[in-house]
Amino acid sequence: MSNTTRNKTAKEIIHEYEIDSSFFLSTPQRTLLTKGIVTKYPDDDLNNGTGQMLEQIRKMLSNAKLQGMNDPIVVGAIPFDYTKSLQLFVPKEVEKLGPLSFVEEIRKEDLSKIKYEMTPVPERKEYGEYVAKALKKITNHELSKIVLARSLHVKADKKIAIHKLIQSLVAQNSNSYTFAVNLPQSGLRERKRTLLGASPELLVSKSGSYVCSNPLAGSAPRSKDPKEDQRRAEQLLHSSKDRYEHKFVVDAVAQTLKPFCTNLEVPTEPSLIQTETMWHLSTEIRGQLANPSTTALELGLALHPTPAVCGAPTNLAKEAIQEIEAFNRDYYSGMVGWSDADGNGEWIVTIRCAEVEDDLLKLYAGAGIVAGSKADSELAETSAKLRTMLLSMGISSEY
């Protein structure tokens, strides 16, 4: 692993991202850029459970050390259903840098000049029908919560400039976790795919014996008018429906982490965090591990998927998602991040994201459905969440 000593601009760092063999993660604290691949997680080893998965990762890192790497890490993305596919690999080169800062003006002309054709999946009216189906399951006590997503399929009139899109995401979402990772090629076309986005949600981080998770649930769209924006924030903070939804997620995360920890600090009240497009209820959970050898990836897999992207009870919510949603989530609502040989690492919930394949993009956004949810409000929430990617593309319209 190498630490960069020469000062580079944010634009230079992002331009070094290689679409077929890189991983990029920019956080408010640090930036991670990898190049090349030493070894990949085997495609034929997906259905042996998390224990086997963690052992395979341990072997990959151990073998990398035997090959002369001083501080190998594993990076990549895990989908919503990780029994189907994984994109995890040990990179050849790793650069650790400080947080990125854009001193130059970010210009979106190159992206906004592109013409796009938008196809909502499902259509807006149909999404309302999906919410009605979910509410019926909640009324019948089959579920307590379910997260229903929708997608926006985008066809551009030219190939998408990945580096410019990453740059725009970082510049507009300085408080989020901006990521990019190459994905396995799809179908017979053998075109390169990139998963990228700017997620506000930390699934879990681990440093030594200390662990942190920052679940988000309960959201409200931002307003350009400062007074209205503040009113929405205050309304969200005191909304019984949103606090109820948020408590589901916090309780689930705390219950999952508790067996791993000697102590766990869980605030009794949520706080507010903001992104460029959304207000969120947030709770930062911190703990000390009973066994410092527990890895960040092990904790991430234990937590994934949280009720913030799935629902409760988890297995029943998963089944209902597969029954109701009109598409395969693939890597949306999965986890993206890194872990090292000592178990330290950082895993992010894969939201506010898109999969990019040449001139095609698939954008994703979801909303948590609980008792009291209304279809129009949930549709508006997904539209606001889609704006993270749309704004980075130079598109101000809502879909």
Side-chain angles (χ1 to χ4, degrees), residues 221-229 232 276 387 391 396:
R222 300 286 306 276
S223 172
K224 293 181 180 179
D225 178 76
K227 289 185 178 179
E228 172 62 15
D229 194 46
R232 292 182 185 184
E276 183 76 9
R387 291 187 71 231
L391 288 174
S396 58

Side-chain angles (χ1 to χ4, degrees), residues 354-366:
E355 288 186 17
V356 183
E357 185 178 333
D358 287 349
D359 58 346
L360 302 174
L361 302 95
K362 291 181 181 179
L363 282 59
Y364 300 92

Side-chain angles (χ1 to χ4, degrees), residues 366-385:
I369 314 300
V370 296
S373 291
K374 292 179 170 41
D376 289 347
S377 297
E378 307 308 328
L379 180 63
E381 181 177 324
T382 60
S383 295
K385 289 174 177 177

